[in-house]
């Protein structure tokens, strides 16, 4: 998947903790571990030559204290060869961001709907629809910029708010369900390819329906084998015919 993204000319590849949903089949991202993020990112890095590769720090990998955050971010950078890490949150992680940038670890921010806070939010509804929360998101964006973030993901907030945030800071904003006025856009690859049939957020445009294509291919294969219409080579071993690919 990373190779195809790279060959298509994508600018940024984010190894997101959404792998907990689309790869591991979990209901949230919370169960993803640091070792699992490193494992997946190391595989992705094998294909990435020119795109900026960013890796999510999973839940509780940077929340306990600054020392642990530095250690975990350092592990991700050293063991995966990525270019940057992404942390969720605003004002509460500002000091962590400042220190990481100071020691040479580039940080991408993430505001709005932050999936690692789902147990606080309760639902995946659009964030920043009321004045108080919208004001906090705007404030947090400025704080993250001042702390040293090189870009900020804005997830599932009103397009009008995303436009205001983008205009108020000098660093790029990257939208996901945040309208067209962000500086860039990002989607979960599995979603845009139509591999996640049970998940259909309104902001995802499905460019393919691979789930149906794959199931059709599997069904055709099973049918071919059952009806001995499969182009498999046959070889006799100890008097028995064995199918070979």
């Amino acid at each position: 998947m990373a190779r195809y993204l790279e060959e298509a000319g994508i600018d940024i590849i984010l190894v997101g903790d959404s792998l907990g949903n689309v790869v591991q089949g979990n209901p949230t991202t919370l169960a993803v571990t640091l070792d699992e993020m490193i494992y997946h990112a190391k595989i992705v890095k094998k294909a990435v030559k020119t795109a900026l590769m960013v890796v999510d720090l999973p839940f509780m990998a940077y929340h306990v204290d600054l020392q642990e955050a530095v250690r975990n971010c350092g592990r991700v950078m050293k063991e995966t060869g990525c270019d940057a890490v992404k942390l969720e949150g605003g004002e509460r992680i500002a000091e962590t961001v400042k220190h990481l940038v100071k020691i040479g670890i580039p940080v991408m921010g993430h505001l709005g709907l932050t999936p690692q806070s789902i147990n606080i939010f309760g639902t995946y509804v659009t964030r920043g629809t009321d004045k108080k929360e919208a004001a906090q998101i705007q404030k947090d964006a400025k704080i993250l910029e001042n702390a040293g973030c090189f870009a900020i993901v804005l997830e599932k907030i009103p397009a009008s708010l995303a436009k205001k945030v983008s205009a108020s800071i000098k660093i790029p904003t990257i939208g996901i369900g945040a309208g067209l006025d962000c500086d860039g856009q990002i989607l979960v690859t599995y979603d845009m390819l139509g591999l996640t049939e049970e998940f259909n957020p309104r902001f995802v445009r499905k460019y393919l329906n691979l789930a149906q294509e794959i199931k059709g291919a599997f069904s055709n294969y099973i049918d071919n084998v059952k009806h001995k219409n499969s182009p498999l080579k046959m070889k006799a071993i100890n008097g028995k015919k064995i199918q070979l690919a």
Side-chain angles (χ1 to χ4, degrees):
M1 193 76 77
R3 183 177 296 114
Y4 298 152
L5 287 166
E6 176 86 358
E7 290 176 358
I10 208 78
D11 295 313
I12 298 176
I13 293 178
L14 169 65
V15 183
D17 58 2
S18 53
L19 66 87
N21 306 107
V22 298
V23 177
Q24 298 176 339
N26 295 321
T28 72
T29 65
L30 301 184
V32 179
T33 68
L34 182 68
D35 286 338
E36 288 168 345
M37 290 303 306
I38 291 173
Y39 167 81
H40 284 271
K42 286 171 71 173
I43 293 172
V44 170
K45 182 58 180 177
K46 292 178 181 180
V48 177
K49 307 302 180 190
T50 59
L52 183 75
M53 180 174 151
V54 183
V55 178
D56 266 347
L57 262 291
F59 182 59
M60 295 308 295
Y62 56 98
H63 302 79
V64 177
D65 56 41
L66 182 59
Q67 186 177 20
E68 184 172 26
V70 170
R71 183 184 301 112
N72 290 337
C73 288
R75 275 196 64 197
V76 170
M77 296 290 290
K78 291 183 68 173
E79 295 181 35
T80 72
C82 70
D83 301 299
V85 297
K86 180 169 75 65
L87 310 183
E88 293 184 7
E91 189 171 4
R92 64 181 175 81
I93 66 163
E95 290 305 313
T96 299
V97 172
K98 284 181 183 179
H99 192 73
L100 290 172
V101 173
K102 185 178 180 180
I103 63 174
I105 298 178
V107 180
M108 177 182 284
H110 185 157
L111 296 172
L113 177 61
T114 47
Q116 292 176 13
S117 301
I118 186 58
N119 287 336
I120 295 175
F121 294 152
T123 68
Y124 288 99
V125 298
T126 302
R127 310 307 309 178
T129 55
D130 64 79
K131 290 183 178 180
K132 183 178 180 181
E133 189 173 30
Q136 186 62 51
I137 290 173
Q138 287 185 277
K139 178 183 177 182
D140 284 338
K142 199 66 181 176
I143 289 172
L144 289 180
E145 178 183 36
N146 291 335
C149 282
F150 68 88
I152 300 175
V153 171
L154 299 176
E155 181 170 355
K156 208 170 182 184
I157 64 174
S160 57
L161 175 58
K163 184 176 182 178
K164 290 179 182 178
V165 171
S166 299
S168 69
I169 58 178
K170 295 179 181 179
I171 60 174
T173 58
I174 302 173
I176 175 168
L180 300 177
D181 291 304
C182 295
D183 300 297
Q185 299 290 332
I186 193 167
L187 282 177
V188 175
T189 308
Y190 283 69
D191 294 344
M192 67 176 291
L193 294 179
L195 282 166
T196 49
E197 291 183 298
E198 68 285 356
F199 183 64
N200 294 288
R202 58 177 175 77
F203 59 83
V204 172
R205 176 181 293 177
K206 291 190 176 182
Y207 290 82
L208 287 174
N209 192 344
L210 282 187
Q212 289 299 318
E213 294 284 337
I214 290 171
K215 287 189 286 187
F218 291 160
S219 295
N220 288 337
Y221 171 75
I222 293 168
D223 183 73
N224 286 171
V225 172
K226 284 183 176 179
H227 294 87
K228 301 185 183 301
N229 188 31
S230 178
L232 298 176
K233 297 177 182 178
M234 305 296 291
K235 182 176 181 179
I237 299 178
N238 296 329
K240 295 183 180 181
K241 287 187 175 181
I242 305 297
Q243 289 184 335
L244 302 174

